[in-house]
Amino acid sequence: MNGHANGHAKASRSETSKPDSSKTDRSRWRLLDERGRQRWKYLRTKEEVEAWPQSTADRYHLGLDLDLPDLGLAKTPLESVHRGLQFFEQLQLPPGNWACEYGGPMFLLPGLVITWYIVGEQVPEEFRVEISNYLFARQNADDGGWGLHIAGGSTVFGTALNYTTLRLLGQDAEDLRMVKARLTLHELGGAVNGPHWAKFWLSVLGCCEWDAVNPVPPELWLLPDWMPIAPWRWWIHMRQVFLPMGFIYSQKYQHPLDPLTRALRKELYVGDYSAMSFASHRNSISPWDNYHPKTALLNTMNWFLVNVHIPITRTGWIKRRGEDCAYRLIELEDENTDFANLGPVNGPLNTVARFIKEGKDSYPVQRHLDRLHDFLWMKDEGMLMNGTNGVQTWDTAFLIQAVIEAGVAQDPRWKQMLVRALEFLEDQQIREECRMQKASYRQSRKGAWAFSTREQGYTVSDCTAEASKSIMLLQNLPGFPKLVSDDRIKDAVDVLLTMQNASGGLASYEPTRGSPWLMEQFNAAEVFGRIMVEYDYPECTTAVVTTLTLFKKFHPDYRAAEISAFIGRAVDYIKDAQRPDGAWYGSWGICFTYATMFALESLAAVGETYENSSRVRLACQFLLDRQNADGGWGESYMSCEDAEWREHPDGSQVVQTAWAAIALMEANFTEEKPLRKALTLIMRRQQSKGEWKQEGIEGVFNKTWFVLPFPRGQRRLLTHATLSMISYPNYKFIFPIKALGMYARRTGNEPL
């Protein structure tokens, strides 16, 4: 390994310099939740602190001690349910929802901090300190780098961008932690070996040349809609990321050089920046980043764009038309989300695009800068950036279902909590279509629910399904108000009926719009695969099946033939998606445990159980064969990568044990011993105040296969897969509560 970093101090991998990292006063942080919009605030004065006391939820999320009673250990499942709810109720926020960290990806904060730097936004000192703390806390201990996600090995993408982020936040290049990261970056070949997104952000910052960035011309948006590669056919996250990327690329905007960016030009590269031929590095990429190698077709297209179209055939008129078209779509995205935007990647990119066009003092830029705070989350390790602006609707819907399935919803003790949750879901239903819906290529949304909030405004199939299901279940219990009318539930069903693919399955945001094989030929991201179009997901499909089945019970005459046919096609897809070993592969949670739970719930909804279905028995056997001796289940995220069951290195996990137990009970599995052992483990893991401790990470997204050399320097190739992990920490309350209550209803609440 090269022990030098452009003349800076040497550091070996065994050196671990851990100077005292400054921290803010955690007692001054508050989570503000306004109709689901969540922002962390830091109180600077004694008067502010006295006027706004810190809540139990604030203290819990910050990892501070809680002044809650010691309840002792529960003896029966329902006692455990009530103790879990007693704790979780303390975390409910004033609008009625629950909040939590939704972190894991390590490529989000850099886009935000670079955007702040480019537009000249003063970063609050407390944000500067705590973002730095989080990045140092998540620095890989062995080599000082960062990966794609918090458990990933070091990559150029993660290391170059997070190193840059820390420098922009004021960290000294001679801090030994920074030196260690820089050495790893140089070992990986420097920033020229970064993927497309890394080179893009560094070029905008002025720390890379645009010649190194493969082209993203905005005139792609001028292609006729009938063309099979037209951008409106792309997966929503890809088109909303490449939309502002195209505008910025066409402008070739670079932040003016200053002393810090000049220093970064020296620190990020191996060799002299001024002597480098950046054009020769357009396709340079570290094998550790090349998760989805560019296809020959994409390379050919890039060559044509760089060598023919841009220098010869791209007239000024075409350039302006492309930029104008892209910018108008950026404006529509901002208007239709009130600048909340789809997610934490396109949000900063849209901010930069609006800054280039309209300047920092314009309303769009100022509103963006305000809205970007919605993605930030404060925890014990510091401040991170969530994968969306929250999980508000998703987790709140699941909590309602858990309490109902546990059989305690009509206990007066929990009525106020549930009514507040219902009020939140009522408030978050999207009540109107997008402005210029067709022109902005948006899916129908009137009646839908988003993953997070109404303002974010993107229809999601399973979020709409789970919210609708929760409302129908709760509003039909005696004593609960009917806040959402039948007509509004029918609006939700109308949206769901637009979302089925020809396969019978459902995707996430909208039906598949293009050919997966063709579109993946043009995947330029390199760090992810299977992201160019929507794909069918068992989890989305099962959620809609269970919701429509429930809806039919309450509204048997509404679009009855269409709904029955829809369910039939969806169930056929679910059956086809079952693997020969009996499991279903999960794309949004880890992994077989997660998807199999939902699949068995949906099959039970249409009458298939352990008693009458061989496929259900096969699925149950899959789970039983993997139950640990202690009664639990523990599945590693490596199951998602390898597409085969992989045991969690820490053994049984509470959340996955709950998922497996729920799956068996949904299937009406007849043997009690495996379930008793599982529920006993869940009860024994419950803490004396009613909570469960955080264990392994629960969620995943963006799976891809790739080939890399292993170990470094050797020629042998290893086919492997990667993904980005993401946290769902409220699952450790929701699903154990549901599993315990279901078991109590099944067995009569005998002591365990």
Side-chain angles (χ1 to χ4, degrees), residues 218-219 222 247 250-251 314-327 357:
E219 50 265 37
L222 300 179
F247 178 83
S250 187
Q251 293 276 318
R314 191 192 199 208
T315 65
W317 180 81
I318 292 175
K319 179 177 181 292
R320 288 191 300 273
R321 280 281 314 278
E323 290 175 357
D324 290 346
C325 181
Y327 196 77
K357 182 82 169 177

Side-chain angles (χ1 to χ4, degrees), residues 57-331:
D58 295 333
R59 298 183 64 80
Y60 174 78
H61 294 308
L62 293 164
L64 301 176
D65 291 335
L66 303 180
D67 185 19
L68 294 176
D70 192 315
L71 304 173
L73 297 178
K75 294 182 176 60
T76 68
L78 278 185
E79 189 178 359
S80 183
V81 165
H82 286 289
R83 292 183 180 190
L85 285 173
Q86 186 171 335
F87 187 95
F88 199 48
E89 181 189 35
Q90 298 290 322
L91 308 185
Q92 190 176 26
L93 298 174
N97 66 290
W98 281 264
C100 66
E101 168 192 355
Y102 189 54
M106 292 303 298
F107 54 87
L108 301 178
L109 278 170
L112 172 68
V113 174
I114 290 172
T115 296
W116 281 342
Y117 194 83
I118 287 168
V119 304
E121 179 73 354
Q122 184 67 37
V123 181
E125 177 64 12
E126 59 271 15
F127 284 27
R128 184 196 68 77
V129 168
E130 295 296 356
I131 291 173
S132 297
N133 285 336
Y134 179 77
L135 291 180
F136 280 132
R138 288 300 177 177
Q139 189 174 23
N140 287 332
D142 57 342
D143 62 9
W146 292 267
L148 187 67
H149 56 79
I150 58 176
S154 296
T155 62
V156 176
F157 190 24
T159 305
L161 288 187
N162 285 297
Y163 177 93
T164 298
T165 300
L166 286 165
R167 291 288 281 123
L168 296 181
L169 292 172
Q171 297 301 321
D172 191 340
E174 302 305 325
D175 182 312
L176 291 186
R177 296 169 296 183
M178 300 292 284
V179 173
K180 191 174 183 180
R182 195 162 62 245
L183 293 175
T184 290
L185 177 60
H186 285 211
E187 182 193 53
L188 293 168
V192 292
N193 278 345
H196 184 265
W197 289 12
K199 291 171 181 173
F200 179 92
W201 274 119
L202 292 175
S203 295
V204 177
L205 183 61
C207 296
C208 183
E209 297 302 317
W210 281 110
D211 287 347
V213 181
N214 270 308
V216 196
E219 50 265 37
L220 287 172
W221 288 92
L222 300 179
L223 293 174
D225 287 351
W226 57 261
M227 289 194 67
I229 63 169
W232 76 277
R233 300 181 184 276
W234 303 354
W235 183 40
I236 185 64
H237 278 281
M238 288 305 293
R239 68 177 187 259
Q240 293 295 10
V241 166
F242 277 88
L243 176 65
M245 272 190 171
F247 178 83
I248 297 165
Y249 172 85
S250 187
Q251 293 276 318
K252 294 294 196 297
Y253 175 85
Q254 282 194 311
H255 180 70
L257 275 177
D258 57 36
L260 179 54
T261 53
R262 284 191 177 92
L264 282 168
R265 285 184 169 191
K266 295 179 180 179
E267 296 163 24
L268 294 172
Y269 298 93
V270 179
D272 184 356
Y273 183 94
S274 63
M276 296 184 70
S277 171
F278 282 91
S280 67
H281 288 289
R282 271 195 308 107
N283 294 312
S284 298
I285 184 168
S286 163
W288 299 94
D289 291 78
N290 201 18
Y291 304 145
H292 189 276
K294 294 184 291 295
T295 64
L297 182 58
L298 178 60
N299 283 327
T300 300
M301 186 184 78
N302 285 337
W303 182 92
F304 173 80
L305 291 171
V306 168
N307 295 287
V308 179
H309 174 62
I310 292 175
I312 301 172
T313 63
R314 191 192 199 208
T315 65
W317 180 81
I318 292 175
K319 179 177 181 292
R320 288 191 300 273
R321 280 281 314 278
E323 290 175 357
D324 290 346
C325 181
Y327 196 77
R328 183 57 187 141
L329 289 169
I330 292 168
E331 291 178 317

Side-chain angles (χ1 to χ4, degrees), residues 15-57:
E15 286 181 291
T16 53
S17 173
K18 295 283 186 181
D20 291 336
S21 178
S22 58
K23 289 188 177 181
T24 59
D25 181 350
R26 300 293 169 84
S27 70
R28 291 178 175 269
W29 285 99
R30 305 289 187 273
L31 179 59
L32 177 65
D33 189 336
E34 299 173 306
R35 294 186 70 182
R37 185 189 179 196
Q38 300 166 174
R39 288 167 292 164
W40 282 95
K41 300 289 186 179
Y42 190 75
L43 308 183
R44 293 184 174 85
T45 68
K46 179 181 178 182
E47 292 73 22
E48 288 176 319
V49 171
E50 291 175 350
W52 187 356
Q54 199 167 44
S55 70
T56 299

Side-chain angles (χ1 to χ4, degrees), residues 515-536:
S515 162
W517 177 86
L518 176 61
M519 297 303 292
E520 293 298 345
Q521 300 294 312
F522 297 95
N523 181 354
E526 297 165 319
V527 293
F528 298 119
R530 289 173 53 87
I531 58 169
M532 289 302 293
V533 296
E534 278 275 19
Y535 288 88
D536 295 322

